[in-house]
Amino acid sequence: MGISPWLLSTPLMEELYGKDARLCPSSHGEATFVFSQSRPLDLIELEQLLASVGWSRRPQRLVKRALENSLLTIGLWSHDPSIPRLVGFARCTGDGVLEATVWDVVVHPVWQGSGLGKELMKYVLELLRTMRVQRVTLFADPGVVDFYLRQGWTLEPKGRRCAFWYAN
Amino acid sequence: MGISPWLLSTPLMEELYGKDARLCPSSHGEATFVFSQSRPLDLIELEQLLASVGWSRRPQRLVKRALENSLLTIGLWSHDPSIPRLVGFARCTGDGVLEATVWDVVVHPVWQGSGLGKELMKYVLELLRTMRVQRVTLFADPGVVDFYLRQGWTLEPKGRRCAFWYAN
C-alpha cells in the first residue's frame, strides 16, 4: 500500500531514498513514487522488474558490475515506509560529456499507462542536461518508438542506422 | 615516410606506442601501421583526422574529458621513428560488461580502401572480447552500413531503432 504524497516528509524521503531523491509526478492518486540514484538496488528485484516486460535474465554478477560502471542508475520506487517497491528503472552509460546512452528503461506493467515512463525519461534527460552531456542516444524496441518520438527524440538522424554485435 | 615492418623493433615499438602496441596488417607495402591505446593523442591532430571525414569539430576541453571517460581509445598510427602520424581512431563507451558502444571510427581518406578500417574494427572487437563484453553497439552513417554488415554486425535486431536527443 502506498501513502499519500503529503505523508512522505523530506527527512523520511532522504532516509529511505537518499539526498538526491525526488518525487515523481503521476496520475495515481493512491500511490507515491520516488526517483532515487542512491537507494541500493536488490538485484533480484531489478531482474524481476526487467523480466516483467519480457527481457531475458542476465547473470547477477555481470549486472552488478555493469551498474557500478554506469554513468547513472535510476530507480523509480513505489513508496512504502517499510518496504519500497522498485517499479521502474533506467541507466546510462557514456563519457558523460559528448555522449550518453540510455539502457534498460522499464516501468512495471502494473504501473504503465499513467505517465511514469514519460516522467522517468524526463528525469534521465534532466540529470544528463545538468551534466551538460551534448548528445543522448538509445535503442528503442519497435513498440516504444512512438513513445520516444512524442518526447522529442529524433529517429535515425542523417540516416544513421544502429548495428549490434554479440559476443555469443 | 614510413619504414618497412621489419625495421620496427619491439623495443622501439614499445617506446613509441606503449606496451600494448600492436602492428596493424595492411596492404600498404611501403608503410607500417601500429595500434596503440597508450600513445598520447594530440587533440588537434585527432580533430583534424575527424574533420578529414567531414565530422564537425568539438571543443577540445570536452573531447579531452570524453576521451578520459571512455572505456577504450585506440589510435592507429602510421609509423615514423621521429613523428608517427595519427591515421585512424576509434573509441568505446559503456559499462565494459554488458554493453559497449563504439564511437568516432575514422580512417584518414588518404589511407582508406586498404583494409585499415576493417583491421581497426577487428582490433576493437578483440579488445572488447577480451573484456568479455556481451554486446557491442554503434550508430552507422548510411555510407558505412554495408561495411559493418560485411563484418558480421546485425542491423537493428528485433526491429530496434536508434533515437537521438541533442542538448542544443
Side-chain angles (χ1 to χ4, degrees):
Chain A
M1 282 250 302
I3 58 168
S4 302
W6 51 85
L7 294 181
L8 178 54
S9 66
T10 304
L12 179 60
M13 190 157 99
E14 288 195 358
E15 184 193 323
L16 287 173
Y17 305 103
K19 283 199 181 296
D20 62 279
R22 172 90 69 88
L23 282 177
C24 168
S26 94
S27 57
H28 285 290
E30 78 284 13
T32 301
F33 299 96
V34 183
F35 293 121
S36 170
Q37 296 180 69
S38 51
R39 183 177 168 86
L41 294 156
D42 176 317
L43 292 182
I44 296 175
E45 189 178 19
L46 175 60
E47 286 300 290
Q48 282 172 346
L49 175 63
L50 294 171
S52 76
V53 296
W55 292 348
S56 54
R57 286 169 189 269
R58 302 169 295 191
Q60 270 188 46
R61 66 187 169 81
L62 299 188
V63 172
K64 182 170 182 293
R65 280 173 48 213
L67 296 184
E68 286 163 359
N69 295 348
S70 293
L71 196 59
L72 289 176
T73 59
I74 297 142
L76 174 58
W77 301 86
S78 170
H79 173 62
D80 179 291
S82 37
I83 310 175
R85 303 283 179 184
L86 187 70
V87 299
F89 179 78
R91 71 181 178 108
C92 303
T93 58
D95 56 44
V97 182
L98 298 175
E99 310 284 356
T101 309
V102 187
W103 303 99
D104 301 335
V105 178
V106 57
V107 170
H108 194 285
V110 163
W111 299 107
Q112 285 177 14
S114 56
L116 291 181
K118 187 180 164 190
E119 292 297 332
L120 176 58
M121 286 309 299
K122 267 174 68 176
Y123 186 58
V124 168
L125 287 180
E126 190 183 318
L127 294 172
L128 293 173
R129 206 184 271 119
T130 305
M131 297 168 75
R132 314 190 103 171
V133 173
Q134 306 227 311
R135 185 167 64 176
V136 188
T137 44
L138 57 78
F139 302 96
D141 286 328
V144 291
V145 167
D146 287 342
F147 167 80
Y148 290 111
L149 289 179
R150 282 197 303 273
Q151 292 176 55
W153 291 70
T154 308
L155 206 64
E156 300 179 352
K158 300 179 186 169
R160 283 193 202 96
R161 308 292 295 278
C162 59
F164 290 63
W165 177 92
Y166 299 90
N168 299 310
Chain B
M1 282 257 299
I3 58 169
S4 301
W6 52 87
L7 294 182
L8 177 55
S9 65
T10 303
L12 180 60
M13 188 156 99
E14 288 195 359
E15 184 193 323
L16 286 174
Y17 306 103
K19 283 201 181 297
D20 62 280
R22 173 90 69 87
L23 282 176
C24 168
S26 93
S27 57
H28 284 288
E30 79 283 15
T32 301
F33 299 96
V34 183
F35 292 123
S36 170
Q37 296 179 71
S38 52
R39 183 178 169 85
L41 295 155
D42 176 317
L43 292 182
I44 295 174
E45 189 178 18
L46 175 59
E47 286 299 290
Q48 282 172 346
L49 175 63
L50 295 171
S52 76
V53 296
W55 291 348
S56 53
R57 286 172 189 267
R58 302 168 295 190
Q60 271 189 46
R61 66 187 169 81
L62 299 188
V63 172
K64 183 170 183 290
R65 281 173 49 213
L67 296 184
E68 287 163 359
N69 295 347
S70 294
L71 195 60
L72 289 176
T73 59
I74 297 143
L76 174 58
W77 302 86
S78 169
H79 173 62
D80 180 290
S82 38
I83 311 175
R85 304 282 179 186
L86 186 70
V87 299
F89 180 77
R91 71 180 178 109
C92 303
T93 58
D95 56 44
V97 182
L98 299 175
E99 311 284 357
T101 308
V102 187
W103 302 99
D104 301 336
V105 179
V106 57
V107 170
H108 194 285
V110 163
W111 299 107
Q112 285 177 16
S114 55
L116 291 181
K118 187 179 164 189
E119 293 296 333
L120 176 58
M121 286 309 298
K122 267 175 68 177
Y123 186 58
V124 167
L125 287 180
E126 189 184 318
L127 294 173
L128 293 173
R129 206 183 271 118
T130 305
M131 297 169 77
R132 313 191 102 171
V133 173
Q134 305 227 310
R135 185 166 65 177
V136 189
T137 44
L138 58 78
F139 301 96
D141 285 329
V144 292
V145 167
D146 287 342
F147 168 80
Y148 290 111
L149 290 178
R150 282 197 303 272
Q151 291 176 55
W153 291 70
T154 308
L155 206 63
E156 301 180 350
K158 299 179 188 171
R160 282 193 203 98
R161 308 294 293 278
C162 60
F164 290 62
W165 177 93
Y166 299 89
N168 300 311

